[in-house]
Amino acid sequence: MTFTDPEVGSAGMTERRAREAGLDVATAEYDMAALAGTYVMRDDYLGRAKLVIDRAGGTVVGATFVGSGVADLVHSATTAIVARVPLSLLWHVVPSYPTASEVWLRLLETYRAQSYA
């Protein structure tokens, strides 16, 4: 976690590192400024979120967040990665609304939409 303005934090592997490790990965990215929760934080919110997903295991292997107040998102990503929580279970971890954690749902929706495209 880097406490700059905006904050930058990550957990697990980057997309590049995961591919180098031989994993078949997909990514999902989301503009955090499009969330109701970040709009409530500040009108001019800027931020981005990215998940790196192991397709074979159906789990998150990496996550990166940029934006104000993303430290808690890094913590939740660490939990998902270390516990190898399947995406099918993450769907049931409903984020508080309106907060920045809403990005988890939006990332899962993005990944699902890309998978069916």
Side-chain angles (χ1 to χ4, degrees), residues 2-116:
T2 306
F3 292 101
T4 55
D5 187 17
E7 297 171 2
V8 178
S10 64
M13 292 188 263
T14 62
E15 178 182 2
R16 179 179 174 187
R17 177 67 187 108
R19 291 188 193 286
E20 288 172 350
L23 296 176
D24 177 21
V25 296
T27 62
E29 295 188 48
Y30 200 80
D31 177 3
M32 292 187 58
L35 301 170
T38 56
Y39 179 77
V40 169
M41 287 175 143
R42 56 198 285 184
D43 294 351
D44 61 345
Y45 192 95
L46 293 174
R48 193 99 185 131
K50 180 177 182 176
L51 293 183
V52 180
I53 299 160
D54 175 11
R55 291 180 208 228
T59 59
V60 177
V61 294
T64 303
F65 303 96
V66 178
S68 296
V70 298
D72 291 336
L73 299 175
V74 175
H75 181 259
S76 56
T78 301
T79 301
I81 293 166
V82 171
R84 296 182 180 162
V85 179
L87 296 180
S88 60
L89 288 178
L90 282 178
W91 276 104
H92 300 282
V93 181
V94 180
S96 300
Y97 180 87
T99 68
S101 7
E102 178 190 348
V103 76
W104 278 100
L105 179 58
R106 303 299 171 232
L107 286 164
L108 292 173
E109 290 171 340
T110 300
Y111 175 69
R112 182 171 60 183
Q114 291 171 174
S115 297
Y116 292 117

